[in-house]
Amino acid sequence: MKYALYLGCTIQAEQFGCEISAREVLPRLGVELVDMEGTSCCGFPAFSSLSTIGWFYLSARNLALAENLGLDILTLCNGCYASFVETKHNLEENADLKGFIQEKLRQEGLEYTGDIRVIHIIELLHDLIGTEKISETVTNPLKGIKLAAHPGCHAIRPSSLGRPDNAENPQKLDHLITALGAETMDYPEKTDCCGSMLATASGTTTLTIAAEKLKAVEGYGFDGLVTTCPFCFQMFDGRQGEINDIIDFIFDTDSEELEVPIFYYTQLLGLAMGLKPEKLGLELNLSPVDALVEKIAGGAK
Amino acid sequence: MSDDIDKEQVEFVSLLLQREVSEMDAEVCEQCGKCTSACPVAIYMEGFNPRRLIAKVALGRTDELLESDTIWTCTSCLKCKERCPENISPYDVILVLRNLAVRAGHPYPAGYDETIKAVLEYGVAQQPRMVRTRAHERRDRASLGLPPAEKPRDMKKFNEVLGGIVRAGGSG
Amino acid sequence: MTMGEPIVPRIGVFVCHCGINIGGIVDVPSVVEYAEKLPGVVYAEDNLYSCSSDGLNKLKEGIKQHNLNRVVVASCTPRTHESLFQDACEEAGLNKYLFEMANIRDQCSWVHMHEPEAATEKAKGLVRMAVAKARLLEPQEEPEIDINPTSLVIGGGISGLTSALSLSEQGFKVHLVEKQPELGGMLLQLEKLFPSDRDSMELLRPRIDSARSNPNIELHTTSKVKSVKGFIGNFDVEIESQEGDVKKLNVGTIIVATGAENLEPVGLYGYGEDERVITQLQLEKMFKDGSLEGVRTVVMIQCVGSRNEERPYCSRVCCNEAVKNALLLLKESGTRREVYILYRDLQTYGTHYSSMEWDAKKQGVKLIKYQAERPPEVISERDAVIVNVYSPLLDEEMSLRSDLVVLSTPLIPTEDAKELSQLLKVPLNSDGFFMEAHVKLRPIDFATDGIYLCGTAHSPKDVSESISQALGVASRAAIPMARGRLRTAAITAEVDESKCSGCGTCIELCPYNAITKDEREIARITSAVCKGCGVCGASCPERAITMHHFTDEQLGAEGLAALGRVDD
Amino acid sequence: MKSVLVIGGGIAGIQASLDLADRGIKVHLVEKTPSIGGVMAQLDKTFPTLDCSMCILAPKMIECFRHPNITLHTLSEVSKVTGSAGDFYVNILEKARYVDASKCTGCGLCSEKCPVRLPSEFQAGMGTRKAIYMPFPQAVPLVACIDSEHCLYFQKGVCRVCEKLCPAVAIDYEQQPREVEVNVSSIIAATGFETYNPQEIGEYGYGRYKNVLTALEFERLICASGPTGGKLERPSDAKISHRIAFVQCVGSRDHRVGVPYCSSICCMYATKEAVLIKEHDPESAVTVFYIDLKVFGQGFQDFVERARDDWGVRYIRGRPGEIREHPFTKDLTIWYENTDTGKVSKTEVDLVVLCTAMVPRPENKELADVLGVELDEYGFLKAQDPLSNPIETNIPGIYVCGCCHGPRDIPESITEASGAVAKAAELIVKVADGGEG
């Protein structure tokens, strides 16, 4: 199990918790991560909106770099995953588009054939590694903790192009959570969007959409929310403070502030493996995770 | 058209956009409302209604849409594409309309330009930055023991190639 | 009245639960208990579903074991189940008119759902009345009549032709009456037929030719039905041709296939004032004459004159007609044409019409929904007809410049439908079309035996549905004709010659003209024609007419029982 | 004179058999399930007249059973057909019923004590039946039958309770299937349709959310002979449902999943079921979500107007995008856009009824091979010429009627059944006077 690790802009620039915990736990599951040189942005969402061909070029070059290493490419971000799958699909569908992009890539000294598999982190953990193997590595089960799974839009839609999990009834992230000994539950808002792509267009609406999901999760009595996508994590964790600043405007009633601990799955996996919180970038989570981390990490002593 | 824009690339981009417009299938839409009723944005923003957008495209009224700012407030959640009984994808229609709006020189949210400039200059949408922990301490890739961020080997070549494509698309 | 010593009535009462429809409200066991004590009743029982084969077996065994000579079933409506129980009595050797039903469901448990005690008392009352009448019932014999294996088909359109041809192929003689000089009906006005744009003559021509050459079919064109007398198996019909000569025919069955007409939407959307505002039929004609050059933009408006106060029904075919014509407009022209269809609810149902709608949208036909309360507005201008319409789906007022406005109008009953319905004594429904016996299970029979109905005379429908109905009546009409003989109901009226004063009141009032005066000026009722409606019996000043199975004594006993008096 | 084979004992097959038998032509009526009656037997009431479906069907079923000219083959299928128009040789495979029909009185004692409880096909899975059962009280023939796949004796060689209990000594575990060959002049296919299973439309949650039912399941729920005796007890907590929503075009008019065509009758049976709810409880809130109300039939428009204006049924144009189930209360929230106003909103209901498409039976493929009849692009049996010859097929002497060749309502099925009989009678007359053999 050897993959070219593609981080993407958001993880590489600010979502370090995701990268740290992934680098820490995946090798313990027999996955060898090979860093790629010369990677660039995958083009989503700016280029896909303004210059479709620019978007295909950016995604194709990263795929070419992985092809160059002779490895399948592993992505930790829903946006990048969607970009690569859409690009592969469009280039397969449209021969002269593929020719155009390949010719552009040669100018950068890169060769793209499209003969590469794009692996999503959920697909790697659930389908390729498997929940039994993950449970075997759990020394400190997350007993008595009820977590809401948030796979994120591009991990499940559109089903027409093939996605790691079912569009309407995704269960894989739930299985991965229960594999750590924690509890989970189906809740209606599971397949809802975190709203982050709206940031460029309308600040308040993007926060409202995220707030609605967090409020629902809190309402159902979950102890926290788990995701694998840096965009979603950034919205729920990084901007939970901003949401609370305008909470009365969003829900136009004087409701209490939201206090929902947000985790990357790989962070929780690390804790369940008995690793120290510091080794999993948990100090970087801005949502109120201390009590829960204490409870889990405490169990490890 | 200024000289540094490659005619052949402009030709290619418009050909591609034409093809995508024809494949929109907006005309078979039954106006059933499944897309709008599942759309998270339509609930909060009065003007945003994917069904009406498709109705206008089916009636050939795309210029009106290119000028409006509604095509820029989609959150790419893909529920509309997933659930349309006629396999129409308002999301893909919106992406094409955005590309056409940019080519036609209509205004669009500034955030996109900053990202495009950053990618052209540094190869990434965001340069690695200092972040703060819950305890308000400052951390960066180095202090967290992470390898330095990657970017394209030959930035000049990368900028030249990508810049050409973007200019052919009529933006940037 | 049958003489001989009076028979001691041995009545069996069978009370039904009908699942919980009755049993859920009426205390059925207590009704059984009550029935057992009624005078004349020797056996009573209840069962879950009397109409199931198990229930019928219990009824037959009950008759044999307790050698019952009268049976009362307290269950549901005689309308659907009386013949079922009568046949069961007959199979057990009991004359089927020694049977009476008490409706303790529709007239009791269903309407008194919330007062179980009162409903139970009422059920006992209804059983008491039925038993009182049952005590006085007498056996009846059903007269048998011969059926003339000849059929009269009224209407020479696609329906009339199809049913006439099928009946002739089945070996029956057919008289086909058509008021126009040539056969074909509405299809003559249609150019192409949906869903597959088939030429209408390609469908009509073979049928007309084989009708003309078929020895079993006698054609009467430019002719109308003048009068109809008689009953199933023996209808005396007069046919009058345009020139006035009258032919007399005797036929066993009659098929109404008189079709429908298209509404002339005078006064709607400027029709009649601006000749660029036409109907779909006129558009068909323009296809035929090829007079559509220069027409670039066409706007069609649906539900013109239908689904409104005056004509509340949906005319079923106009949407598919419009979509078909829209497709033809786009396929036919060399120049780029625009076609809009303004609709309220597009009726493109079923597999074929759904795919036709899909093709139309693919070809670029633009569908605009409008609301009944905000209909489109048509304004004539010099070089265009402006159609303003509010589209709720876009929440916008749209203005379309068109070269042609095509109104989709409904099919309406033919004006002579009323006259024919009186001739045949068959009802029309509230929309003015002929009314079938039962909309669900007898859609192509009339309530009157021997008369059948198909095509757009029944209600608007398309060509393939008319053909199916035409073939359907060809089977329905063939049943009595194939059997040759038929037993008719014995519930008929009879004149007591000693009392009849010959005043003729009954003859006037009989809706089925089943009564004539004999040479001695005494009224005489032909039992085969009599439907047992009771008008004559009720109106006879001399009380000379008795209704079999509903004699004065029987009804009197029932009335007294209703008041609680149960003694003989 | 030759007889005619009718395949399928639903209302179309029954009508065809009675038309043939009443005019003196012998009929072999082959029915796959233990009783004739078809889907109509499962209905509570019928539109637009609100007649009790079983009340107008049962007399016809019994007429079929007692008619001297009709031979009924239940639990049977056509296994082979040879010959041609006017002279077909048909093999009918009669599966074993394991109950002697001549002895069984239909008393039902065997079912009472049978320990095996299974979902009842007649109750559309809403109620249960035993391994030895009669599908419904008015079943014709009213004879029990043993489901050997689930009977403990057949599976594990134990139990035999029914044999001990049967007063008529009618149980016969050794009964063998038998093949019967009949010589018929023509064949009328009336095998009906199936309702589409909407499980693949994930956003509506059928199969996951307990209180999302199909219209046929709801028909059993509201029927007095249904599992709850007609009380609208919803599956999750048996709470009486007051807020009910109907969703139209589920699987119909869908190019993604299901079928692309409109199934013609769903707007009407939804309106009927809505009115039935209002009859049960006038205070209930009933909503129908539709796109184009199909009111093309006799009396349909008037029926919808009465439902809307007199009964207060709410009609909203807009196909719901999503149905959500509250994890604890199991109440359902429907997200929809009222496309007439463009406003997106949600409504909370106790029960959702999905009006699913009418789709061809999977067995059509097999039947088509046996008969040699072609299937259309959707899998329905194909009429030779849907416009001018909607009843004949590509094989002379084999006719189709009812929903086996496309969605249609009961009156149309009955009319076509009579039409098929007309064609069959034409063939008999033609062959009789020396036509083509």
Side-chain angles (χ1 to χ4, degrees):
Chain A
M1 279 232 208
K2 194 174 172 192
Y3 298 102
L5 176 63
Y6 178 80
L7 294 171
C9 309
T10 314
I11 293 173
Q12 204 172 242
E14 58 173 60
Q15 288 303 326
F16 305 132
C18 175
E19 184 178 349
I20 295 167
S21 54
R23 285 187 189 281
E24 204 54 47
V25 296
L26 290 180
R28 283 181 164 72
L29 293 164
V31 176
E32 188 190 340
L33 300 175
V34 174
D35 283 317
M36 296 169 66
E37 281 146 17
T39 54
S40 69
C41 170
C42 74
F44 182 85
F47 284 82
S48 53
S49 299
L50 272 65
S51 163
T52 309
I53 299 192
W55 170 33
F56 292 147
Y57 173 74
L58 283 165
S59 286
R61 70 179 301 284
N62 291 308
L63 291 174
L65 286 168
E67 276 181 32
N68 199 327
L69 299 170
L71 295 170
D72 286 338
I73 190 166
L74 169 65
T75 66
L76 305 179
C77 154
N78 283 356
C80 309
Y81 172 82
S83 264
F84 292 155
V85 169
E86 300 263 337
T87 299
K88 251 189 78 176
H89 169 72
N90 275 289
L91 298 192
E92 266 149 35
E93 290 285 304
N94 181 341
D96 41 18
L97 175 64
K98 185 172 184 181
F100 179 86
I101 296 289
Q102 280 172 325
E103 190 255 327
K104 290 293 157 198
L105 286 174
R106 277 186 210 98
Q107 289 172 16
E108 243 205 290
L110 293 170
E111 251 328 294
Y112 168 78
T113 62
D115 169 17
I116 178 172
R117 273 185 62 206
V118 182
I119 310 293
H120 187 276
I121 178 71
I122 290 182
E123 189 183 349
L124 172 69
L125 291 166
H126 185 275
D127 303 347
L128 303 174
I129 297 172
T131 48
E132 299 79 24
K133 200 137 175 278
I134 289 176
S135 304
E136 281 153 19
T137 64
V138 169
T139 56
N140 165 31
L142 280 56
K143 273 201 291 313
I145 295 171
K146 192 171 165 194
L147 297 165
H150 171 82
C153 299
H154 295 270
I156 55 176
R157 288 187 291 268
S159 52
S160 51
L161 277 184
R163 282 296 190 266
D165 206 345
N166 179 289
E168 304 300 348
N169 180 25
Q171 291 296 330
K172 288 184 181 174
L173 189 50
D174 295 76
H175 299 154
L176 290 172
I177 292 171
T178 45
L180 307 182
E183 288 158 43
T184 181
M185 181 183 85
D186 278 340
Y187 62 103
E189 291 79 2
K190 183 196 292 186
T191 59
D192 281 1
C193 180
C194 69
S196 73
M197 288 302 143
L198 212 51
T200 23
S202 150
T204 45
T205 312
T206 192
L207 292 176
T208 309
I209 291 175
E212 286 281 356
K213 180 137 197 176
L214 290 177
K215 187 169 186 233
V217 163
E218 203 168 57
Y220 295 127
F222 284 106
D223 302 321
L225 182 135
V226 185
T227 184
T228 54
C229 166
F231 277 110
C232 306
F233 184 86
Q234 185 188 28
M235 272 311 293
F236 293 131
D237 177 80
R239 307 189 67 180
Q240 194 166 132
E242 274 177 82
I243 291 172
N244 284 328
D245 295 347
I246 59 165
I247 194 85
D248 294 344
F249 166 75
I250 292 176
F251 294 120
D252 54 47
T253 57
D254 47 11
S255 38
E256 298 92 17
E257 294 201 343
L258 295 168
E259 284 167 9
V260 184
I262 310 294
F263 295 97
Y264 279 109
Y265 176 75
T266 35
Q267 291 179 315
L268 287 173
L269 177 53
L271 288 176
M273 286 174 166
L275 301 175
K276 294 272 172 297
E278 304 77 55
K279 289 179 78 64
L280 300 164
L282 275 163
E283 82 264 55
L284 298 173
N285 297 35
L286 300 178
S287 55
V289 293
D290 293 315
L292 215 51
V293 170
E294 219 27 68
K295 186 176 176 197
I296 302 168
K301 288 210 181 49
Chain B
M1 199 99 69
S2 57
D3 52 19
D4 65 357
I5 291 179
D6 171 338
K7 297 291 166 300
E8 181 245 342
Q9 279 184 187
V10 173
E11 211 18 74
F12 186 82
V13 170
S14 28
L15 227 185
L16 179 90
L17 291 181
Q18 266 323 317
R19 207 174 101 132
E20 286 192 3
V21 171
S22 67
E23 276 156 14
M24 284 196 227
D25 288 340
E27 71 280 6
V28 294
C29 166
E30 280 165 8
Q31 290 295 297
C32 73
K34 257 187 124 168
C35 50
T36 307
S37 59
C39 171
V41 176
I43 302 161
Y44 303 110
M45 303 181 77
E46 245 338 88
F48 189 79
N49 184 322
R51 175 185 59 75
R52 283 190 175 154
L53 181 134
I54 295 294
K56 285 177 180 148
V57 170
L59 288 172
R61 290 163 47 183
T62 37
D63 337 339
E64 187 188 324
L65 293 170
L66 299 187
E67 285 140 18
S68 75
D69 54 18
T70 52
I71 52 174
W72 296 96
T73 54
C74 158
T75 182
S76 325
C77 77
L78 294 162
K79 276 193 179 175
C80 57
K81 176 168 185 163
E82 181 60 31
R83 293 188 181 142
C84 172
E86 303 307 332
N87 293 327
I88 301 168
S89 165
Y91 165 72
D92 290 323
V93 170
I94 285 172
L95 283 192
V96 173
L97 291 179
R98 285 181 181 177
N99 274 260
L100 290 173
V102 163
R103 281 174 73 83
H106 294 294
Y108 51 85
Y112 291 108
D113 277 343
E114 285 139 28
T115 315
I116 297 236
K117 275 204 199 65
V119 170
L120 283 172
E121 216 175 320
Y122 308 108
V124 282
Q126 247 182 349
Q127 292 278 70
R129 62 181 178 78
M130 199 61 82
V131 292
R132 57 177 179 75
T133 66
R134 255 192 327 288
H136 300 293
E137 289 144 7
R138 303 169 67 79
R139 290 286 186 283
D140 64 8
R141 291 191 67 83
S143 64
L144 291 163
L146 292 171
E150 273 305 317
K151 61 184 171 68
R153 277 284 148 271
D154 177 348
M155 269 312 294
K156 188 174 148 321
K157 196 67 173 138
F158 169 80
N159 179 290
E160 191 188 291
V161 173
L162 183 58
I165 294 174
V166 169
R167 277 190 298 284
S171 81
Chain C
M1 307 296 170
T2 50
M3 291 311 134
E5 83 309 325
I7 304 136
V8 173
R10 295 183 54 79
I11 301 170
V13 178
F14 298 81
V15 187
C16 187
H17 286 263
C18 190
I20 58 160
N21 278 304
I22 299 173
I25 296 118
V26 169
D27 175 357
V28 170
S30 82
V31 176
V32 172
E33 227 177 85
Y34 174 81
E36 264 159 0
K37 296 196 218 59
L38 288 172
V41 176
V42 294
Y43 177 72
E45 68 166 37
D46 64 317
N47 43 55
L48 193 59
Y49 286 101
S50 323
C51 62
S52 68
S53 34
D54 163 47
L56 293 172
N57 291 340
K58 285 210 184 97
L59 182 70
K60 285 186 264 184
E61 271 146 39
I63 293 173
K64 291 195 189 97
Q65 262 161 21
H66 304 280
N67 64 64
L68 306 176
N69 55 26
R70 299 287 186 281
V71 166
V72 168
V73 170
S75 63
C76 55
T77 159
R79 194 167 66 91
T80 49
H81 281 68
E82 187 168 42
S83 58
L84 185 72
F85 293 125
Q86 283 175 329
D87 294 348
C89 291
E90 217 168 34
E91 267 166 49
L94 184 66
N95 181 288
K96 66 180 192 176
Y97 288 90
L98 299 172
F99 168 79
E100 190 57 31
M101 271 184 90
N103 188 343
I104 58 170
R105 185 187 69 176
D106 311 45
Q107 292 165 4
C108 185
S109 63
W110 272 358
V111 287
H112 308 302
M113 227 178 244
H114 307 300
E115 310 109 325
E117 297 77 23
T120 305
E121 281 321 302
K122 181 173 178 182
K124 290 178 184 168
L126 290 169
V127 167
R128 185 172 61 240
M129 291 165 65
V131 166
K133 183 178 175 199
R135 273 203 300 279
L136 301 170
L137 287 178
E138 283 141 16
Q140 310 287 343
E141 285 322 314
E142 291 186 333
E144 278 214 347
I145 45 169
D146 291 333
I147 306 286
N148 175 351
T150 310
S151 193
L152 169 71
V153 175
I154 311 172
I158 186 73
S159 303
L161 280 168
T162 305
S163 53
L165 283 170
S166 179
L167 281 170
S168 64
E169 293 284 325
Q170 294 179 55
F172 302 110
K173 191 149 180 5
V174 179
H175 290 282
L176 179 57
V177 174
E178 165 56 47
K179 67 173 188 261
Q180 299 299 339
E182 36 152 344
L183 301 170
M186 178 156 284
L187 245 60
L188 298 171
Q189 301 171 40
L190 297 178
E191 163 73 358
K192 291 274 193 282
L193 301 175
F194 52 80
S196 47
D197 295 346
R198 285 261 290 287
D199 182 67
S200 58
M201 284 324 288
E202 184 214 317
L203 221 69
L204 259 182
R205 184 54 49 211
R207 283 182 162 85
I208 292 178
D209 294 344
S210 55
R212 287 201 181 290
S213 63
N214 190 310
N216 274 342
I217 299 178
E218 196 178 328
L219 292 176
H220 311 270
T221 50
T222 64
S223 303
K224 284 182 67 157
V225 172
K226 187 165 182 293
S227 76
V228 176
K229 295 237 175 330
F231 45 88
I232 179 167
N234 187 3
F235 288 108
D236 295 327
V237 179
E238 286 174 331
I239 310 282
E240 186 179 25
S241 74
Q242 218 171 7
E243 298 75 27
D245 56 49
V246 173
K247 278 194 216 130
K248 285 199 183 324
L249 304 171
N250 183 282
V251 291
T253 55
I254 299 174
I255 291 175
V256 174
T258 47
E261 279 155 16
N262 212 282
L263 174 72
E264 279 292 298
V266 175
L268 296 176
Y269 300 110
Y271 179 79
E273 286 124 28
D274 183 334
E275 86 305 351
R276 292 167 298 182
V277 177
I278 60 171
T279 64
Q280 293 285 357
L281 275 187
Q282 286 164 324
L283 180 60
E284 295 262 1
K285 205 167 165 327
M286 291 170 88
F287 279 128
K288 248 181 189 156
D289 323 338
S291 54
L292 280 162
E293 308 81 21
V295 169
R296 258 195 91 287
T297 310
V298 177
V299 174
M300 298 185 175
I301 304 178
Q302 300 310 105
C303 294
V304 173
S306 69
R307 291 176 75 198
N308 56 18
E309 245 47 79
E310 200 195 341
R311 241 167 258 103
Y313 61 89
C314 157
S315 178
R316 190 171 183 134
V317 293
C318 354
C319 277
N320 294 313
E321 170 83 351
V323 171
K324 180 235 358 178
N325 282 346
L327 264 170
L328 282 179
L329 282 168
L330 290 177
K331 279 189 198 146
E332 188 228 27
S333 76
T335 60
R336 269 283 297 121
R337 268 200 185 128
E338 294 251 308
V339 183
Y340 295 86
I341 297 183
L342 276 50
Y343 70 96
R344 281 170 48 194
D345 285 274
L346 211 60
Q347 303 296 315
T348 46
Y349 56 88
T351 50
H352 304 297
Y353 302 145
S354 301
S355 63
M356 183 174 71
E357 179 197 345
W358 175 264
D359 295 343
K361 287 197 279 193
K362 271 279 184 205
Q363 300 273 345
V365 173
K366 306 222 178 334
L367 301 176
I368 315 275
K369 176 184 160 106
Y370 75 90
Q371 289 171 316
E373 51 275 16
R374 288 178 73 164
E377 189 200 7
V378 173
I379 302 158
S380 294
E381 280 180 5
R382 206 172 45 74
D383 48 18
V385 188
I386 309 300
V387 181
N388 297 328
V389 62
Y390 169 72
S391 155
L393 299 187
L394 284 167
D395 186 22
E396 263 177 24
E397 196 62 51
M398 297 175 74
S399 182
L400 307 168
R401 291 182 64 81
S402 71
D403 307 313
L404 202 60
V405 170
V406 187
L407 306 181
S408 296
T409 54
L411 288 175
I412 56 171
T414 53
E415 346 92 10
D416 52 20
K418 189 161 232 17
E419 187 199 332
L420 186 58
S421 90
Q422 268 135 20
L423 270 177
L424 294 169
K425 300 220 169 12
V426 285
L428 299 178
N429 64 22
S430 54
D431 298 327
F433 290 97
F434 286 97
M435 192 156 92
E436 68 279 68
H438 186 274
V439 77
K440 209 67 188 181
L441 285 190
R442 294 181 64 205
I444 50 180
D445 305 355
F446 275 109
T448 317
D449 296 341
I451 308 182
Y452 306 90
L453 169 63
C454 67
T456 46
H458 163 265
S459 67
K461 53 177 60 63
D462 65 25
V463 172
S464 75
E465 287 151 359
S466 298
I467 288 172
S468 293
Q469 270 201 343
L471 289 174
V473 291
S475 158
R476 298 299 297 165
I479 293 172
M481 295 199 288
R483 273 223 302 258
R485 297 181 58 70
L486 189 71
R487 291 191 338 192
T488 58
I491 300 176
T492 53
E494 194 178 343
V495 176
D496 177 347
E497 287 164 7
S498 61
K499 291 183 184 161
C500 167
S501 69
C503 68
T505 317
C506 57
I507 297 170
E508 271 318 304
L509 294 172
C510 175
Y512 297 95
N513 37 47
I515 309 175
T516 49
K517 267 193 193 160
D518 65 13
E519 61 299 349
R520 294 174 292 140
E521 289 295 304
I522 305 285
R524 180 146 315 291
I525 296 171
T526 31
S527 58
V529 185
C530 168
K531 283 284 161 219
C533 67
V535 162
C536 57
S539 58
C540 172
E542 308 299 333
R543 303 180 69 77
I545 298 177
T546 48
M547 305 303 306
H548 292 303
H549 203 64
F550 290 93
T551 63
D552 298 346
E553 296 76 21
Q554 287 166 356
L555 296 182
E558 213 172 341
L560 292 173
L563 305 173
R565 295 252 310 279
V566 287
D567 44 23
D568 291 8
Chain D
M1 181 164 65
K2 286 250 173 46
S3 53
V4 172
L5 177 79
V6 176
I7 310 174
I11 185 63
I14 287 173
Q15 179 67 40
S17 304
L18 289 176
D19 267 23
L20 285 164
D22 283 350
R23 65 183 291 162
I25 300 173
K26 294 245 175 310
V27 179
H28 286 280
L29 175 55
V30 173
E31 166 54 43
K32 180 164 52 94
T33 67
S35 162
I36 60 175
V39 171
M40 185 172 174
Q42 296 178 277
L43 305 182
D44 178 22
K45 302 285 194 305
T46 58
F47 61 79
T49 54
L50 294 182
D51 282 307
C52 149
S53 182
M54 186 53 80
C55 297
I56 57 178
L57 175 63
K60 283 186 177 290
M61 286 163 64
I62 289 174
E63 235 182 296
C64 254
F65 180 69
R66 294 200 351 255
H67 205 295
N69 287 343
I70 299 177
T71 313
L72 193 52
H73 308 262
T74 51
L75 283 172
S76 304
E77 270 170 27
V78 171
S79 51
K80 191 155 77 70
V81 173
T82 54
S84 61
D87 190 25
F88 287 107
Y89 289 88
V90 178
N91 288 35
I92 302 173
L93 172 64
E94 289 180 358
K95 297 200 191 72
R97 188 178 267 269
Y98 306 111
V99 175
D100 182 339
S102 62
K103 294 187 185 137
C104 170
T105 65
C107 69
L109 259 177
C110 52
S111 304
E112 267 160 42
K113 295 292 181 291
C114 170
V116 176
R117 188 173 287 278
L118 300 154
S120 152
E121 294 82 358
F122 176 75
Q123 302 288 7
M126 298 291 286
T128 58
R129 66 160 167 88
K130 297 298 190 63
I132 180 164
Y133 67 104
M134 273 168 286
F136 52 97
Q138 297 89 347
V140 168
L142 194 67
V143 177
C145 74
I146 295 183
D147 167 2
S148 52
E149 272 145 41
H150 299 96
C151 160
L152 291 181
Y153 172 70
F154 282 93
Q155 294 306 316
K156 303 196 184 75
V158 292
C159 181
R160 296 176 77 113
V161 157
C162 48
E163 187 185 40
K164 298 187 193 70
L165 276 170
C166 175
V169 193
I171 311 293
D172 171 7
Y173 300 110
E174 271 51 15
Q175 209 178 64
Q176 293 304 319
R178 66 190 185 102
E179 188 128 42
V180 173
E181 190 190 67
V182 291
N183 176 231
V184 292
S185 162
S186 58
I187 298 172
I188 298 178
T191 46
F193 69 98
E194 225 176 54
T195 51
Y196 165 74
N197 176 345
Q199 195 137 5
E200 58 185 352
I201 304 181
E203 59 265 38
Y204 287 163
Y206 177 75
R208 294 199 335 260
Y209 306 153
K210 280 239 172 54
N211 297 329
V212 174
L213 304 177
T214 64
L216 194 57
E217 287 163 353
F218 179 78
E219 195 83 26
R220 292 318 306 156
L221 184 67
I222 198 164
C223 184
S225 67
T228 65
K231 293 199 221 53
L232 295 181
E233 294 163 358
R234 63 179 195 169
S236 68
D237 53 12
K239 191 179 120 203
I240 298 290
S241 317
H242 297 291
R243 306 166 301 172
I244 298 175
F246 288 83
V247 178
Q248 300 311 99
C249 307
V250 176
S252 295
R253 297 181 72 173
D254 198 323
H255 286 77
R256 178 178 62 121
V257 289
V259 289
Y261 53 79
C262 152
S263 297
S264 308
I265 62 167
C266 327
C267 286
M268 278 307 113
Y269 67 59
T271 298
K272 175 203 68 182
E273 288 180 353
V275 168
L276 294 183
I277 297 167
K278 282 286 185 176
E279 266 184 356
H280 276 238
D281 165 15
E283 303 318 314
S284 57
V286 186
T287 313
V288 177
F289 292 101
Y290 71 95
I291 328 175
D292 287 288
L293 266 185
K294 290 296 191 290
V295 287
F296 55 86
Q298 176 81 324
F300 289 5
Q301 170 74 27
D302 170 55
F303 186 49
V304 166
E305 266 160 29
R306 270 188 293 127
R308 186 177 46 214
D309 306 337
D310 304 350
W311 290 102
V313 173
R314 203 164 60 126
Y315 287 85
I316 293 178
R317 186 187 185 287
R319 235 173 168 167
E322 196 167 346
I323 296 174
R324 296 181 162 190
E325 178 190 64
H326 190 284
F328 308 134
T329 65
K330 305 298 179 192
D331 286 342
L332 299 164
T333 304
I334 301 177
W335 282 92
Y336 66 94
E337 181 210 0
N338 181 336
T339 56
D340 283 339
T341 61
K343 196 168 163 318
V344 177
S345 36
K346 58 178 179 174
T347 177
E348 220 181 70
V349 291
D350 305 317
L351 198 65
V352 167
V353 180
L354 303 181
C355 294
T356 53
M358 290 172 89
V359 292
R361 285 192 185 285
E363 302 91 335
N364 278 7
K365 182 78 200 66
E366 229 178 285
L367 180 64
D369 295 344
V370 166
L371 297 178
V373 170
E374 284 162 14
L375 295 181
D376 72 9
E377 70 213 79
Y378 309 107
F380 287 112
L381 298 180
K382 192 163 189 282
Q384 191 230 342
D385 174 348
L387 179 61
S388 87
N389 202 342
I391 288 175
E392 292 181 272
T393 64
N394 57 308
I395 307 283
I398 298 188
Y399 311 110
V400 284
C401 63
C403 296
C404 65
H405 68 128
R408 43 189 34 73
D409 65 5
I410 288 175
E412 284 159 355
S413 301
I414 284 175
T415 302
E416 282 177 0
S418 296
V421 168
K423 282 292 167 192
E426 284 175 35
L427 182 62
I428 288 176
V429 168
K430 195 187 298 173
V431 166
D433 37 344
E436 127 246 43

